[in-house]
Amino acid sequence: MKIPLHIAEKLLLLSKGERLAASSARHQIIEELVEEGILERTGRIKKTLWLPNSEGIHIYLQNHYEIRDLALYIQTYKKGPLSRAELASVAADTKLSIVRTFKGFLVNCYQPTPATLNKEPFVLQPKEGMFHFIYDYERFIPSADITIVGIENPENFRWINRQQYLFSNIKPLFVSRYPQSQSKDLLKWLAAIDNPYLHFGDFDFAGIGIYQNEFKKRLKKRAKFYIPDGIEALIRESGIKKRYNQQIINFDINTIEEEAILHLIALIHQYKKGLDQEILIKG
């Protein structure tokens, strides 16, 4: 996906230190940047977009959209029909799109996990400091008794061995939503297998939004949102007000069928705090 001209122009203004009305820049890319913490969206009624660190947005655009120079991208975009040389000057390819070297996604485990790959049985073995990357995901089938646990944040994915106490009642295989360029492959794979899916993300509006808009929408009743025991005390004692003040609800509450999520939303409103999932890493 290439960045539309009007959004690229807004991003350039933000990178120069300007603050914009959030209503003036509505796009999936803006939501990505807010979720990644690169853009800040503040205000309870009249939302404002601003950029705490301009370096972050330049790195993100280069890594995810192959745009090395945002101003040059805009200038080149406005010219209309472009030569291959002009396109190559603003992006790493000649189509202003991402070229993915690898398809697939990362998985992790803290116990031997049986699966089938290309119709051959094998066992994923845990190894401290190493993840497995599944390339031929179309032919990767976990054992039927495995629950797929989707982890939102890299820190939790790295330290799954310190979170075993949370998943003692299931046989988990952990998958990573990041890097985000791989997330479409992950969703395709999850939709193609029969294993139950448990979403382990942040306990705030952004975390619920990711689950509802990406995973629950696709997986329906096979998906559940993980909420640990004692969530109220965790939010009350360790929650962060910034998560409440700067996030908006980008999902339809009326479509939520999981009572546990509705209870979580009520707690977030009650304490006006959101909780990062990293708080559950022991040690």
Side-chain angles (χ1 to χ4, degrees):
M1 177 176 62
K2 90 181 161 181
I3 298 180
L5 177 60
H6 73 286
I7 294 298
E9 289 175 330
K10 300 294 185 185
L11 293 177
L12 183 60
L13 291 175
L14 290 166
S15 71
K16 293 179 178 179
E18 294 194 28
R19 291 179 178 243
L20 304 176
S23 59
S24 69
R26 298 183 185 276
H27 196 273
Q28 178 186 337
I29 293 163
I30 299 296
E31 296 303 318
E32 287 178 13
L33 291 166
V34 171
E35 286 180 12
E36 295 287 344
I38 295 170
L39 281 181
E40 296 281 357
R41 183 162 50 201
T42 57
R44 298 295 298 168
I45 299 174
K46 191 174 182 180
K47 306 293 182 184
T48 300
L49 281 174
W50 60 286
L51 184 65
N53 182 359
S54 61
E55 183 64 23
I57 198 168
H58 293 305
I59 293 172
Y60 188 88
L61 291 177
Q62 182 166 334
N63 288 342
H64 291 260
Y65 293 93
E66 304 289 339
I67 295 175
R68 298 194 294 263
D69 186 322
L70 189 55
L72 184 58
Y73 175 89
I74 293 168
Q75 179 184 346
T76 308
Y77 199 121
K78 288 179 176 180
K79 289 182 180 180
L82 305 173
S83 70
R84 295 174 67 87
E86 287 174 320
L87 288 169
S89 71
V90 290
D93 69 358
T94 60
K95 296 180 182 178
L96 292 179
S97 61
I98 300 172
V99 174
R100 293 176 55 209
T101 305
F102 291 109
K103 66 173 187 174
F105 48 84
L106 291 166
V107 302
N108 201 2
C109 56
Y110 52 65
Q111 60 189 10
T113 304
T116 300
L117 181 63
N118 292 318
K119 299 182 179 181
E120 294 288 335
F122 78 109
V123 178
L124 287 163
Q125 295 288 352
K127 180 68 176 177
E128 179 64 29
M130 184 181 77
F131 308 145
H132 298 276
F133 188 89
I134 306 299
Y135 182 87
D136 287 330
Y137 65 86
E138 301 93 339
R139 290 171 286 277
F140 173 61
I141 304 173
S143 176
D145 61 345
I146 299 296
T147 297
I148 310 302
V149 180
I151 295 189
E152 191 175 314
N153 297 325
E155 190 77 3
N156 293 79
F157 188 74
R158 165 66 179 88
W159 297 111
I160 57 168
N161 59 320
R162 298 184 184 179
Q163 299 159 86
Q164 294 187 44
Y165 73 101
L166 299 172
F167 305 105
S168 59
N169 61 332
I170 62 172
K171 296 179 180 179
L173 173 65
F174 299 91
V175 295
S176 174
R177 181 173 173 263
Y178 292 97
Q180 199 167 11
S181 59
Q182 314 297 137
S183 62
K184 289 183 179 179
D185 292 342
L186 175 59
L187 283 167
K188 287 179 184 177
W189 177 70
L190 288 171
I193 62 174
D194 296 324
N195 300 69
Y197 174 77
L198 187 63
H199 187 81
F200 181 30
D202 290 329
F203 308 99
D204 55 19
F205 294 145
I208 296 170
I210 290 169
Y211 170 69
Q212 286 293 129
N213 297 327
E214 295 183 25
F215 295 91
K216 188 67 172 181
K217 181 179 179 180
R218 190 82 177 261
L219 305 178
K220 308 298 182 185
K221 294 187 181 298
R222 276 204 297 124
K224 296 292 181 185
F225 189 87
Y226 175 76
I227 299 177
D229 294 335
I231 186 63
E232 181 171 2
L234 286 167
I235 291 176
R236 182 180 64 243
E237 296 167 12
S238 302
I240 302 171
K241 286 189 177 293
K242 180 180 177 181
R243 297 288 181 270
Y244 183 81
N245 294 332
Q246 296 186 357
Q247 292 180 359
I248 64 170
I249 295 178
N250 67 340
F251 51 88
D252 185 355
I253 294 178
N254 296 321
T255 64
I256 295 177
E257 298 176 349
E258 295 176 50
E259 291 294 330
I261 296 180
L262 295 174
H263 178 60
L264 174 61
I265 292 171
L267 290 174
I268 293 170
H269 280 309
Q270 178 182 344
Y271 294 104
K272 293 181 171 52
K273 294 179 178 180
L275 184 72
D276 291 342
Q277 69 175 144
E278 288 95 334
I279 197 71
L280 297 174
I281 299 173
K282 281 193 171 182

